[in-house]
């Protein structure tokens, strides 16, 4: 099973290496005289922030395991290049959650205007569209009648309006946007009933369709 944030951490390391080509690249980077390394370090730092946020999400949702949720992190679908941060199978066996962790500016509020997602004045609706797309692809790939895949954006840093949970329309469905500290409560309230056998079958199908991101 993949660890949360693993692919983002590896990408950060790759980017740092790309700015330090050869011994001279390492020496000039150490001396503060390598602008390519400085740019690479700034980009890698953003990836590392994202990795830390994904690990924080994993810690927040971990207690759901005791309530029957089956939880996976950092996955990919065959033939696709994007990674899915978190996948959670509800204990009722009728819902699968695709969680996409975001680390946005703590001084800018996340909110919805006219059904679109914003972080302060910046339009972030594209992130909701991507999350909806991941959920739609997984829904099709699973091919399980009666099982709904729904997308959730999990926001760290930026305060989420309306008490930490807003909804936006993306694609043909709705994306839940939730503050990281509210995600466990949102998911706990979304599951209806228990079916260990059904949940186990759905989780097994998820493991067939998705693989650890490498």
């Amino acid at each position: 099973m993949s660890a949360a944030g693993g692919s983002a951490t590896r990408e950060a390391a790759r980017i740092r290496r790309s700015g330090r080509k050869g011994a001279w690249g390492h020496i000039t980077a150490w001396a503060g005289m390598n602008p390519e390394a400085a740019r690479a370090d700034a980009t890698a730092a953003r990836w590392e922030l994202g990795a830390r946020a994904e690990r924080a999400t994993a810690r927040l949702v971990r207690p759901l395991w005791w309530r029957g949720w089956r939880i996976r992190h950092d996955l990919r679908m065959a033939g696709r290049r994007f990674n899915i941060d978190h996948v959670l199978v509800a204990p009722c066996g009728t819902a699968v959650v695709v969680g996409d962790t975001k680390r946005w500016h703590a001084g800018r509020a996340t909110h919805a205007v006219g059904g679109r997602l914003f972080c302060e004045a910046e339009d972030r609706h594209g992130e909701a569209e991507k999350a909806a797309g991941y959920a739609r692809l997984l829904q099709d790939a699973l091919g399980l009648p009666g099982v709904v895949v729904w997308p959730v954006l999990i926001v760290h840093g930026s305060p989420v309006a309306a008490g930490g949970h807003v909804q936006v329309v993306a694609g043909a469905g709705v994306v839940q946007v939730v503050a990281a500290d509210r995600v466990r409560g949102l998911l706990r309230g979304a599951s209806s009933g228990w079916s260990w056998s059904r949940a186990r079958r759905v989780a097994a199908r998820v493991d067939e369709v998705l693989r650890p991101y490498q």
Side-chain angles (χ1 to χ4, degrees), residues 5-131:
S7 60
T9 298
R10 291 191 295 273
E11 180 63 11
R14 186 197 67 77
I15 291 169
R16 288 190 187 280
R17 289 193 301 271
S18 72
R20 293 163 169 78
K21 295 173 182 174
W24 185 245
H26 282 80
I27 292 169
T28 53
W30 176 82
M33 299 171 61
N34 184 336
E36 184 178 354
R39 288 191 296 272
D41 287 350
T43 301
R46 291 193 291 273
W47 280 88
E48 287 163 348
L49 277 174
R52 286 199 290 271
E54 289 179 38
R55 289 193 290 271
T57 295
R59 289 192 296 271
L60 287 167
V61 301
R62 189 178 300 149
L64 292 173
W65 185 85
W66 296 102
R67 291 178 172 266
W69 288 76
R70 288 153 171 83
I71 303 170
R72 310 285 190 267
H73 305 290
D74 204 11
L75 303 168
R76 66 169 298 178
M77 191 179 297
R80 303 284 181 171
R81 299 189 64 179
F82 61 84
N83 79 306
I84 298 177
D85 295 340
H86 320 280
V87 174
L88 302 94
V89 177
C92 58
T94 61
V96 176
V97 174
V98 170
D100 194 6
T101 288
K102 298 299 174 188
R103 177 67 173 83
W104 291 344
H105 198 293
R108 301 171 185 167
T110 295
H111 59 108
V113 178
R116 293 187 67 83
L117 184 64
F118 289 82
C119 183
E120 207 64 43
E122 185 176 352
D123 191 321
R124 296 291 177 88
H125 202 69
E127 301 298 334
E129 295 281 359
K130 283 193 288 186

Side-chain angles (χ1 to χ4, degrees), residues 144-201:
L144 296 173
V147 177
V148 177
V149 180
W150 53 290
V152 178
L153 280 182
I154 303 160
V155 180
H156 293 257
S158 170
V160 178
H165 175 209
V166 297
Q167 298 181 137
V168 295
V169 178
V174 174
V175 177
Q176 311 293 326
V177 183
V178 62
D181 62 354
R182 301 294 183 92
V183 65
R184 195 163 63 235
L186 173 71
L187 298 181
R188 199 165 51 226
S191 179
S192 176
W194 298 72
S195 175
W196 294 109
S197 59
R198 185 180 178 93
R200 186 171 59 249
R201 289 196 301 271

